[in-house]
């Protein structure tokens, strides 16, 4: 995608690179596309770009879905660039802006895919990328005459791996990458152990995260009593600082949280695969590893958490 900063500045909008890709692609397909179709075009385009992919996706009810693209759709609609409810539609000002972002790569992609629409487009995305059809509610319908493609989807469906207790941090992850990590490890319940589940990073505040999880069949549970208040997390500059905090947490906080620990044990006892989540990427810099160890100690027999 060529540099388009001047066009964005002249329009009074500051657009991210991925948003410029989105607008240019929509313009290439005529500026008015049904939502499901455009999501599949955006998915195929993103897959073809590989390392430079503007969006990530998760397997969802109708195949590949990007939460981030819909967040951008809402932002761009608020800015008067997009309009419509059941379609991705450029406004007149949006079309003028999007035209400045067009590139030969986008035009070539449009030429290769413009003959596809509706079920044919969905089926094409399923055949090429079966993992993203693994939670589809319409795969048997759009692929009813393609038994081989349906078998590839079954083969691509993630199987549980590792133990039933896991931990995961969202630092450095997109919402889609995070959800895919949960799905690929067979997580069925996500236990959020933050005291205040708010984040400036898109996708990781409680409402958005719980909605995303539940949309792919993962139950979300918030256990704020297992969190650490923010003022105790200040001035953590070295691993020794973290270690002192966690030693205090284990001695003074966790002993009062038997009920929360037992609730996690109960989930594991019914066959659920549980992931404990907080912010930090490294488990030894996050109190979730202390919670995991408390769960391990409470159980009978060996149970070792896997850190995703």
């Amino acid at each position: 995608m060529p540099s388009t900063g001047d066009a964005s500045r002249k329009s009074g909008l500051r657009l991210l690179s991925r948003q410029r890709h989105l607008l240019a692609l929509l313009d290439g397909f005529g500026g008015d596309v049904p939502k499901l179709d455009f999501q599949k075009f955006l998915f195929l385009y993103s897959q073809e770009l590989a390392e430079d992919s503007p969006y990530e996706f998760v397997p969802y009810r109708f195949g590949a879905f990007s939460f981030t693209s819909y967040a951008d759709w809402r932002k761009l609609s608020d800015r008067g660039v997009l309009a419509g409810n059941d379609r991705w539609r450029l406004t007149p000002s949006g079309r003028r802006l999007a035209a400045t972002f067009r590139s030969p790569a986008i035009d070539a992609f449009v030429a290769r895919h413009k003959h596809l629409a509706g079920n044919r487009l969905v089926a094409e995305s399923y055949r090429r990328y079966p993992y993203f059809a693994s939670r589809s509610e319409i795969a048997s319908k759009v692929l009813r005459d393609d038994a081989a493609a349906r078998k590839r989807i079954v083969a691509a469906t993630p199987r549980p791996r590792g133990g039933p207790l896991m931990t995961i941090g969202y630092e450095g992850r997109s919402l889609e990458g995070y959800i895919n990590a949960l799905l690929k490890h067979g997580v069925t319940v996500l236990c959020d152990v933050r005291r205040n589940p708010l984040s400036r990073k898109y996708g990781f505040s409680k409402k958005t995260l719980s909605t995303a999880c539940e949309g792919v069949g993962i139950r979300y549970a918030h256990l704020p009593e297992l969190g650490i208040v923010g003022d105790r997390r200040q001035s953590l500059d070295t691993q020794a600082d973290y270690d002192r905090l966690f030693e205090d947490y284990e001695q003074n906080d966790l002993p009062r949280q038997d009920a929360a620990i037992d609730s996690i044990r109960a989930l594991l006892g019914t066959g659920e695969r549980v992931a404990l989540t907080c912010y930090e990427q490294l488990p030894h810099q996050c109190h979730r590893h202390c919670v995991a160890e408390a769960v391990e100690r409470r159980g009978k027999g060996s149970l070792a958490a896997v850190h995703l």
Side-chain angles (χ1 to χ4, degrees):
M1 166 97 32
S3 174
T4 52
D6 289 344
S8 296
R9 285 192 291 272
K10 289 178 181 178
S11 70
L13 296 177
R14 297 183 63 182
L15 299 178
L16 299 172
S17 174
R18 68 171 189 259
Q19 295 168 336
R20 297 196 291 267
H21 278 274
L22 185 155
L23 294 176
L25 188 65
L26 181 55
D27 187 56
F29 282 104
D32 188 353
V33 182
K35 278 191 172 180
L36 182 59
D37 281 15
F38 187 68
Q39 190 73 183
K40 297 301 171 280
F41 285 135
L42 185 63
F43 167 68
L44 292 173
Y45 175 71
S46 295
Q47 297 307 301
E48 291 188 12
L49 286 186
E51 292 182 2
D52 295 324
S53 173
Y55 289 94
E56 295 180 68
F57 292 78
V58 300
Y60 210 64
R61 295 174 56 207
F62 303 120
F65 182 81
S66 168
F67 297 103
T68 303
S69 74
Y70 269 74
D72 285 345
W73 181 84
R74 290 188 291 271
K75 291 177 184 176
L76 293 169
S77 295
D78 290 342
R79 296 176 182 180
V81 175
L82 297 177
N85 293 318
D86 59 345
R87 304 178 72 84
W88 291 73
R89 180 183 300 126
L90 289 166
T91 63
S93 62
R95 295 208 68 161
R96 290 191 294 272
L97 180 62
T100 66
F101 303 147
R102 292 279 289 276
S103 70
I106 285 178
D107 292 342
F109 176 87
V110 171
R112 291 195 302 273
H113 296 86
K114 63 183 179 182
H115 65 287
L116 295 171
N119 285 348
R120 288 184 62 204
L121 173 58
V122 173
E124 176 70 9
S125 73
Y126 288 4
R127 290 189 183 99
R128 290 174 60 184
Y129 302 99
Y131 163 71
F132 292 95
S134 61
R135 304 192 68 82
S136 172
E137 299 173 0
I138 59 173
S140 59
K141 173 184 176 182
V142 301
L143 294 172
R144 63 175 176 268
D145 298 324
D146 193 339
R150 297 197 303 272
K151 288 181 180 178
R152 288 195 295 273
I153 292 171
V154 172
T157 300
R159 302 293 186 270
R161 47 182 170 152
L165 179 62
M166 291 154 271
T167 83
I168 184 171
Y170 64 84
E171 181 181 14
R173 300 179 191 259
S174 67
L175 176 59
E176 289 81 6
Y178 176 94
I179 294 293
N180 278 320
L182 298 178
L183 290 174
K184 290 178 179 179
H185 286 81
V187 171
T188 59
V189 181
L190 181 70
C191 291
D192 192 337
V193 296
R194 293 175 291 175
R195 177 64 59 95
N196 296 307
L198 300 174
S199 177
R200 288 176 292 181
K201 184 179 177 70
Y202 169 71
F204 295 100
S205 289
K206 180 177 179 177
K207 182 178 179 180
T208 305
L209 181 57
S210 62
T211 299
C213 285
E214 289 161 9
V216 297
I218 298 172
R219 177 178 156 197
Y220 172 91
H222 181 212
L223 300 174
E225 61 270 38
L226 292 174
I228 299 178
V229 295
D231 59 4
R232 292 169 63 192
R233 304 185 65 85
Q234 305 302 314
S235 302
L236 297 176
D237 300 319
T238 68
Q239 186 60 47
D241 295 330
Y242 283 98
D243 292 343
R244 282 191 291 272
L245 171 64
F246 299 146
E247 181 180 3
D248 179 71
Y249 175 72
E250 289 180 320
Q251 291 180 355
N252 298 304
D253 293 67
L254 278 180
R256 299 197 301 269
Q257 302 304 335
D258 286 353
I261 299 299
D262 285 343
S263 71
I264 297 171
R265 288 292 315 179
L267 290 170
L268 295 167
T270 59
E272 302 285 4
R273 294 177 59 80
V274 177
L276 311 176
T277 193
C278 196
Y279 168 70
E280 289 82 2
Q281 179 184 40
L282 300 175
H284 61 275
Q285 292 185 347
C286 178
H287 73 288
R288 68 181 184 273
H289 85 273
C290 303
V291 177
E293 290 167 5
V295 173
E296 294 166 13
R297 289 192 297 269
R298 188 65 57 85
K300 296 179 179 179
S302 62
L303 174 67
V306 175
H307 302 291
L308 307 185

